[in-house]
Amino acid sequence: MNLRRGDIQPIGLEALLIDEARHRHANEFASALAALHILKARTPNPPRIIEETIARLEANVRIERLLLDAGTDNPALAVGRLCETIAMSHSRAPEFVIRSIGRAATGESVPVRLLLLFAYELVTNAIKRSDQDPGRIAIRIVIKAGMLRLTVVNRIDEHRAAPGRVGNGIEILDRLADSVGGRLALRNETDRFVAQAMLPMQPGDRSSN
């Protein structure tokens, strides 16, 4: 990731440290992958677990790289790429249905990197909660009145107890949303679970002016 002068102030020290950790983890994953590929090449009839581990690590390298740089300012395209990559790390991938409504107004830009952090956590949690295998996960992105709303919906067994707000990932997202003036909401609706993140749009890039 190339940082321009002026980028560091709005990003913040904590986010830069997270970026450094993601970059380091991706490199460590890549090193582990290289070792596994050597092991596979030297092992006659390698067990399936080696192939599955290689596939999962490769997907996680892509996820880490994508969270650092989505390569696009289009929120639906960025989330779509993330979902495709997440699917690669699961032996039975869910069906993703993504819908996008609205666009950034003049002077606004979509907080894509922040959006992907929320999308990753909410989508992976939806995969864990889904009562279907591989299941279907609906994702909707709405941009309106200076806010971006990300909604992730998965089907659940209506007779099963509603999932609670547990896990460090959700707690971190809750605090992160609050820190940027947004909001995180989770609710159970009989046979489906709905997770929503409201994130404020960002001022447009004026570096070229």
Side-chain angles (χ1 to χ4, degrees), residues 11-137:
I11 289 176
L13 176 60
E14 293 85 356
L16 287 175
L17 291 174
I18 291 172
D19 283 355
E20 188 280 331
R22 289 199 181 282
H23 176 72
R24 178 162 31 88
H25 292 162
N27 287 341
E28 291 298 327
F29 286 150
S31 296
L33 271 170
L36 283 172
H37 278 296
I38 292 173
L39 176 63
K40 177 185 172 184
R42 294 178 176 176
T43 304
N45 301 316
R48 183 178 179 82
I49 188 65
I50 292 182
E51 292 281 1
E52 293 176 350
T53 303
I54 287 174
R56 183 145 195 169
L57 279 175
E58 286 178 340
N60 276 279
V61 169
R62 293 189 182 99
I63 289 171
E64 293 294 291
R65 302 294 191 202
L66 186 64
L67 291 175
L68 281 169
D69 184 3
T72 178
D73 292 327
N74 183 313
L77 181 57
V79 171
R81 289 175 178 174
L82 177 65
C83 289
E84 289 176 0
T85 310
I86 289 174
M88 294 177 187
S89 67
H90 290 77
S91 56
R92 292 181 62 82
E95 175 189 358
F96 293 108
V97 179
I98 302 174
R99 185 182 180 192
S100 180
I101 302 172
R103 62 179 60 186
T106 302
E108 292 180 336
S109 64
V110 178
V112 172
R113 293 181 62 197
L114 188 62
L115 168 65
L116 289 184
L117 289 177
F118 280 83
Y120 174 77
E121 188 67 30
L122 298 185
V123 167
T124 53
N125 279 347
I127 292 173
K128 296 174 185 176
R129 279 192 299 261
S130 180
D131 67 334
Q132 300 177 44
D133 188 12
R136 178 177 179 178
I137 296 174

Side-chain angles (χ1 to χ4, degrees), residues 174-197:
D174 197 26
R175 291 161 56 191
L176 181 58
D178 183 65
S179 72
V180 298
R183 183 169 58 90
L184 181 67
L186 309 176
R187 66 180 184 272
N188 184 63
E189 295 183 350
T190 308
D191 63 343
R192 66 178 193 166
F193 190 81
V194 181
Q196 280 190 334

